PDB file of all heavy atoms in Angstrom:
ATOM      1  N   GLY A   1     -12.936  43.805  88.821  1.00 97.00           N
ATOM      2  CA  GLY A   1     -13.018  45.269  88.871  1.00 97.00           C
ATOM      3  C   GLY A   1     -12.432  45.839  87.600  1.00 97.00           C
ATOM      4  O   GLY A   1     -12.770  45.402  86.503  1.00 97.00           O
ATOM      5  N   ASP A   2     -11.501  46.760  87.741  1.00 97.00           N
ATOM      6  CA  ASP A   2     -10.863  47.348  86.558  1.00 97.00           C
ATOM      7  C   ASP A   2      -9.496  46.733  86.269  1.00 97.00           C
ATOM      8  O   ASP A   2      -8.749  47.223  85.437  1.00 97.00           O
ATOM      9  CB  ASP A   2     -10.751  48.871  86.696  1.00 97.00           C
ATOM     10  CG  ASP A   2      -9.897  49.309  87.873  1.00 97.00           C
ATOM     11  OD1 ASP A   2      -9.472  48.449  88.668  1.00 97.00           O
ATOM     12  OD2 ASP A   2      -9.647  50.519  87.992  1.00 97.00           O
ATOM     13  N   GLN A   3      -9.181  45.619  86.938  1.00 97.00           N
ATOM     14  CA  GLN A   3      -7.899  44.946  86.751  1.00 97.00           C
ATOM     15  C   GLN A   3      -8.050  43.722  85.855  1.00 97.00           C
ATOM     16  O   GLN A   3      -8.895  42.857  86.106  1.00 97.00           O
ATOM     17  CB  GLN A   3      -7.350  44.507  88.116  1.00 97.00           C
ATOM     18  CG  GLN A   3      -6.042  43.760  88.029  1.00 97.00           C
ATOM     19  CD  GLN A   3      -5.588  43.221  89.388  1.00 97.00           C
ATOM     20  OE1 GLN A   3      -6.227  43.419  90.412  1.00 97.00           O
ATOM     21  NE2 GLN A   3      -4.473  42.519  89.376  1.00 97.00           N
ATOM     22  N   ILE A   4      -7.249  43.629  84.793  1.00 98.00           N
ATOM     23  CA  ILE A   4      -7.223  42.432  83.944  1.00 98.00           C
ATOM     24  C   ILE A   4      -6.444  41.369  84.703  1.00 98.00           C
ATOM     25  O   ILE A   4      -5.293  41.588  85.101  1.00 98.00           O
ATOM     26  CB  ILE A   4      -6.581  42.718  82.581  1.00 98.00           C
ATOM     27  CG1 ILE A   4      -7.449  43.706  81.804  1.00 98.00           C
ATOM     28  CG2 ILE A   4      -6.381  41.423  81.804  1.00 98.00           C
ATOM     29  CD1 ILE A   4      -6.824  44.218  80.537  1.00 98.00           C
ATOM     30  N   ILE A   5      -7.077  40.202  84.914  1.00 98.00           N
ATOM     31  CA  ILE A   5      -6.440  39.147  85.700  1.00 98.00           C
ATOM     32  C   ILE A   5      -6.094  37.907  84.884  1.00 98.00           C
ATOM     33  O   ILE A   5      -5.347  37.050  85.348  1.00 98.00           O
ATOM     34  CB  ILE A   5      -7.323  38.753  86.904  1.00 98.00           C
ATOM     35  CG1 ILE A   5      -8.699  38.248  86.449  1.00 98.00           C
ATOM     36  CG2 ILE A   5      -7.453  39.923  87.880  1.00 98.00           C
ATOM     37  CD1 ILE A   5      -9.521  37.614  87.540  1.00 98.00           C
ATOM     38  N   ALA A   6      -6.635  37.818  83.664  1.00 98.00           N
ATOM     39  CA  ALA A   6      -6.308  36.663  82.819  1.00 98.00           C
ATOM     40  C   ALA A   6      -6.584  37.015  81.361  1.00 98.00           C
ATOM     41  O   ALA A   6      -7.442  37.850  81.067  1.00 98.00           O
ATOM     42  CB  ALA A   6      -7.125  35.439  83.225  1.00 98.00           C
ATOM     43  N   THR A   7      -5.836  36.371  80.478  1.00 97.00           N
ATOM     44  CA  THR A   7      -5.994  36.596  79.039  1.00 97.00           C
ATOM     45  C   THR A   7      -5.939  35.273  78.293  1.00 97.00           C
ATOM     46  O   THR A   7      -5.371  34.293  78.779  1.00 97.00           O
ATOM     47  CB  THR A   7      -4.875  37.502  78.474  1.00 97.00           C
ATOM     48  OG1 THR A   7      -3.613  36.836  78.648  1.00 97.00           O
ATOM     49  CG2 THR A   7      -4.833  38.850  79.175  1.00 97.00           C
ATOM     50  N   SER A   8      -6.515  35.266  77.116  1.00 97.00           N
ATOM     51  CA  SER A   8      -6.407  34.121  76.212  1.00 97.00           C
ATOM     52  C   SER A   8      -6.737  34.597  74.806  1.00 97.00           C
ATOM     53  O   SER A   8      -7.402  35.621  74.630  1.00 97.00           O
ATOM     54  CB  SER A   8      -7.349  32.990  76.611  1.00 97.00           C
ATOM     55  OG  SER A   8      -8.690  33.416  76.499  1.00 97.00           O
ATOM     56  N   ALA A   9      -6.274  33.846  73.822  1.00 96.00           N
ATOM     57  CA  ALA A   9      -6.568  34.191  72.430  1.00 96.00           C
ATOM     58  C   ALA A   9      -6.455  32.941  71.572  1.00 96.00           C
ATOM     59  O   ALA A   9      -5.777  31.971  71.926  1.00 96.00           O
ATOM     60  CB  ALA A   9      -5.597  35.253  71.919  1.00 96.00           C
ATOM     61  N   ILE A  10      -7.151  32.982  70.447  1.00 97.00           N
ATOM     62  CA  ILE A  10      -7.042  31.901  69.470  1.00 97.00           C
ATOM     63  C   ILE A  10      -6.978  32.518  68.082  1.00 97.00           C
ATOM     64  O   ILE A  10      -7.672  33.486  67.785  1.00 97.00           O
ATOM     65  CB  ILE A  10      -8.211  30.895  69.592  1.00 97.00           C
ATOM     66  CG1 ILE A  10      -7.961  29.660  68.707  1.00 97.00           C
ATOM     67  CG2 ILE A  10      -9.546  31.544  69.295  1.00 97.00           C
ATOM     68  CD1 ILE A  10      -8.873  28.483  69.025  1.00 97.00           C
ATOM     69  N   SER A  11      -6.091  31.978  67.268  1.00 97.00           N
ATOM     70  CA  SER A  11      -5.986  32.356  65.857  1.00 97.00           C
ATOM     71  C   SER A  11      -6.446  31.168  65.036  1.00 97.00           C
ATOM     72  O   SER A  11      -6.091  30.022  65.333  1.00 97.00           O
ATOM     73  CB  SER A  11      -4.538  32.673  65.486  1.00 97.00           C
ATOM     74  OG  SER A  11      -4.039  33.729  66.264  1.00 97.00           O
ATOM     75  N   PHE A  12      -7.247  31.431  64.028  1.00 97.00           N
ATOM     76  CA  PHE A  12      -7.744  30.357  63.175  1.00 97.00           C
ATOM     77  C   PHE A  12      -6.946  30.329  61.886  1.00 97.00           C
ATOM     78  O   PHE A  12      -6.738  31.355  61.251  1.00 97.00           O
ATOM     79  CB  PHE A  12      -9.226  30.556  62.867  1.00 97.00           C
ATOM     80  CG  PHE A  12     -10.086  30.505  64.094  1.00 97.00           C
ATOM     81  CD1 PHE A  12     -10.794  31.605  64.514  1.00 97.00           C
ATOM     82  CD2 PHE A  12     -10.172  29.337  64.850  1.00 97.00           C
ATOM     83  CE1 PHE A  12     -11.591  31.563  65.639  1.00 97.00           C
ATOM     84  CE2 PHE A  12     -10.965  29.270  65.981  1.00 97.00           C
ATOM     85  CZ  PHE A  12     -11.677  30.395  66.376  1.00 97.00           C
ATOM     86  N   VAL A  13      -6.481  29.127  61.544  1.00 95.00           N
ATOM     87  CA  VAL A  13      -5.740  28.932  60.307  1.00 95.00           C
ATOM     88  C   VAL A  13      -6.395  27.802  59.532  1.00 95.00           C
ATOM     89  O   VAL A  13      -7.074  26.947  60.096  1.00 95.00           O
ATOM     90  CB  VAL A  13      -4.246  28.602  60.566  1.00 95.00           C
ATOM     91  CG1 VAL A  13      -3.551  29.767  61.244  1.00 95.00           C
ATOM     92  CG2 VAL A  13      -4.087  27.350  61.391  1.00 95.00           C
ATOM     93  N   GLU A  14      -6.202  27.822  58.233  1.00 93.00           N
ATOM     94  CA  GLU A  14      -6.757  26.768  57.392  1.00 93.00           C
ATOM     95  C   GLU A  14      -5.635  26.153  56.575  1.00 93.00           C
ATOM     96  O   GLU A  14      -4.845  26.855  55.951  1.00 93.00           O
ATOM     97  CB  GLU A  14      -7.844  27.324  56.481  1.00 93.00           C
ATOM     98  CG  GLU A  14      -8.650  26.244  55.816  1.00 93.00           C
ATOM     99  CD  GLU A  14      -9.910  26.770  55.147  1.00 93.00           C
ATOM    100  OE1 GLU A  14     -10.214  27.962  55.308  1.00 93.00           O
ATOM    101  OE2 GLU A  14     -10.577  25.981  54.483  1.00 93.00           O
ATOM    102  N   LYS A  15      -5.577  24.839  56.626  1.00 91.00           N
ATOM    103  CA  LYS A  15      -4.570  24.066  55.902  1.00 91.00           C
ATOM    104  C   LYS A  15      -5.292  23.057  55.043  1.00 91.00           C
ATOM    105  O   LYS A  15      -6.505  22.868  55.180  1.00 91.00           O
ATOM    106  CB  LYS A  15      -3.655  23.354  56.907  1.00 91.00           C
ATOM    107  CG  LYS A  15      -2.928  24.289  57.849  1.00 91.00           C
ATOM    108  CD  LYS A  15      -2.135  23.504  58.860  1.00 91.00           C
ATOM    109  CE  LYS A  15      -1.422  24.455  59.810  1.00 91.00           C
ATOM    110  NZ  LYS A  15      -0.645  23.750  60.800  1.00 91.00           N
ATOM    111  N   PRO A  16      -4.592  22.348  54.182  1.00 92.00           N
ATOM    112  CA  PRO A  16      -5.256  21.292  53.423  1.00 92.00           C
ATOM    113  C   PRO A  16      -5.876  20.273  54.378  1.00 92.00           C
ATOM    114  O   PRO A  16      -5.299  19.954  55.419  1.00 92.00           O
ATOM    115  CB  PRO A  16      -4.126  20.663  52.607  1.00 92.00           C
ATOM    116  CG  PRO A  16      -3.111  21.751  52.478  1.00 92.00           C
ATOM    117  CD  PRO A  16      -3.188  22.505  53.780  1.00 92.00           C
ATOM    118  N   PRO A  17      -7.051  19.758  54.051  1.00 89.00           N
ATOM    119  CA  PRO A  17      -7.715  18.774  54.914  1.00 89.00           C
ATOM    120  C   PRO A  17      -6.879  17.511  55.088  1.00 89.00           C
ATOM    121  O   PRO A  17      -6.125  17.117  54.200  1.00 89.00           O
ATOM    122  CB  PRO A  17      -9.009  18.451  54.162  1.00 89.00           C
ATOM    123  CG  PRO A  17      -9.208  19.571  53.205  1.00 89.00           C
ATOM    124  CD  PRO A  17      -7.847  20.092  52.866  1.00 89.00           C
ATOM    125  N   THR A  18      -7.039  16.889  56.252  1.00 86.00           N
ATOM    126  CA  THR A  18      -6.405  15.592  56.536  1.00 86.00           C
ATOM    127  C   THR A  18      -7.477  14.677  57.125  1.00 86.00           C
ATOM    128  O   THR A  18      -8.561  15.127  57.470  1.00 86.00           O
ATOM    129  CB  THR A  18      -5.255  15.748  57.551  1.00 86.00           C
ATOM    130  OG1 THR A  18      -5.810  16.201  58.796  1.00 86.00           O
ATOM    131  CG2 THR A  18      -4.200  16.726  57.068  1.00 86.00           C
ATOM    132  N   PHE A  19      -7.133  13.416  57.295  1.00 85.00           N
ATOM    133  CA  PHE A  19      -8.082  12.493  57.921  1.00 85.00           C
ATOM    134  C   PHE A  19      -8.394  12.937  59.347  1.00 85.00           C
ATOM    135  O   PHE A  19      -9.509  12.834  59.814  1.00 85.00           O
ATOM    136  CB  PHE A  19      -7.555  11.056  57.913  1.00 85.00           C
ATOM    137  CG  PHE A  19      -7.561  10.441  56.545  1.00 85.00           C
ATOM    138  CD1 PHE A  19      -6.373  10.161  55.891  1.00 85.00           C
ATOM    139  CD2 PHE A  19      -8.764  10.155  55.909  1.00 85.00           C
ATOM    140  CE1 PHE A  19      -6.382   9.599  54.616  1.00 85.00           C
ATOM    141  CE2 PHE A  19      -8.785   9.607  54.641  1.00 85.00           C
ATOM    142  CZ  PHE A  19      -7.588   9.328  53.989  1.00 85.00           C
ATOM    143  N   GLY A  20      -7.382  13.428  60.052  1.00 78.00           N
ATOM    144  CA  GLY A  20      -7.574  13.868  61.426  1.00 78.00           C
ATOM    145  C   GLY A  20      -8.284  15.198  61.541  1.00 78.00           C
ATOM    146  O   GLY A  20      -8.828  15.529  62.588  1.00 78.00           O
ATOM    147  N   CYS A  21      -8.269  15.971  60.473  1.00 82.00           N
ATOM    148  CA  CYS A  21      -8.898  17.298  60.464  1.00 82.00           C
ATOM    149  C   CYS A  21      -9.500  17.546  59.082  1.00 82.00           C
ATOM    150  O   CYS A  21      -8.934  18.263  58.263  1.00 82.00           O
ATOM    151  CB  CYS A  21      -7.877  18.368  60.822  1.00 82.00           C
ATOM    152  SG  CYS A  21      -8.569  20.030  60.959  1.00 82.00           S
ATOM    153  N   PRO A  22     -10.669  16.955  58.805  1.00 88.00           N
ATOM    154  CA  PRO A  22     -11.268  17.046  57.474  1.00 88.00           C
ATOM    155  C   PRO A  22     -11.588  18.477  57.016  1.00 88.00           C
ATOM    156  O   PRO A  22     -11.593  18.745  55.832  1.00 88.00           O
ATOM    157  CB  PRO A  22     -12.549  16.228  57.596  1.00 88.00           C
ATOM    158  CG  PRO A  22     -12.394  15.382  58.802  1.00 88.00           C
ATOM    159  CD  PRO A  22     -11.431  16.095  59.701  1.00 88.00           C
ATOM    160  N   SER A  23     -11.853  19.391  57.955  1.00 90.00           N
ATOM    161  CA  SER A  23     -12.156  20.772  57.558  1.00 90.00           C
ATOM    162  C   SER A  23     -10.897  21.535  57.188  1.00 90.00           C
ATOM    163  O   SER A  23     -10.965  22.548  56.503  1.00 90.00           O
ATOM    164  CB  SER A  23     -12.870  21.511  58.694  1.00 90.00           C
ATOM    165  OG  SER A  23     -11.965  21.790  59.759  1.00 90.00           O
ATOM    166  N   GLY A  24      -9.743  21.065  57.666  1.00 91.00           N
ATOM    167  CA  GLY A  24      -8.497  21.786  57.457  1.00 91.00           C
ATOM    168  C   GLY A  24      -8.342  22.980  58.384  1.00 91.00           C
ATOM    169  O   GLY A  24      -7.320  23.632  58.395  1.00 91.00           O
ATOM    170  N   LYS A  25      -9.367  23.263  59.190  1.00 95.00           N
ATOM    171  CA  LYS A  25      -9.339  24.423  60.077  1.00 95.00           C
ATOM    172  C   LYS A  25      -8.784  24.026  61.442  1.00 95.00           C
ATOM    173  O   LYS A  25      -9.208  23.041  62.038  1.00 95.00           O
ATOM    174  CB  LYS A  25     -10.737  25.004  60.236  1.00 95.00           C
ATOM    175  CG  LYS A  25     -11.296  25.553  58.949  1.00 95.00           C
ATOM    176  CD  LYS A  25     -12.710  26.055  59.134  1.00 95.00           C
ATOM    177  CE  LYS A  25     -13.265  26.590  57.818  1.00 95.00           C
ATOM    178  NZ  LYS A  25     -14.658  27.028  57.970  1.00 95.00           N
TER     179      LYS A  25
END
């Protein structure tokens, strides 16, 4: 209805690439 019952959020950051995270994102 008009009641907020749950929330979530994500922030995207970029770091130097690693083997585990080649995009760095």
Side-chain angles (χ1 to χ4, degrees):
D2 62 354
Q3 178 185 359
I4 295 172
I5 59 170
T7 63
S8 64
I10 189 166
S11 300
F12 297 116
V13 296
E14 193 168 354
K15 300 176 181 180
T18 64
F19 288 112
C21 184
S23 72
K25 296 177 181 177

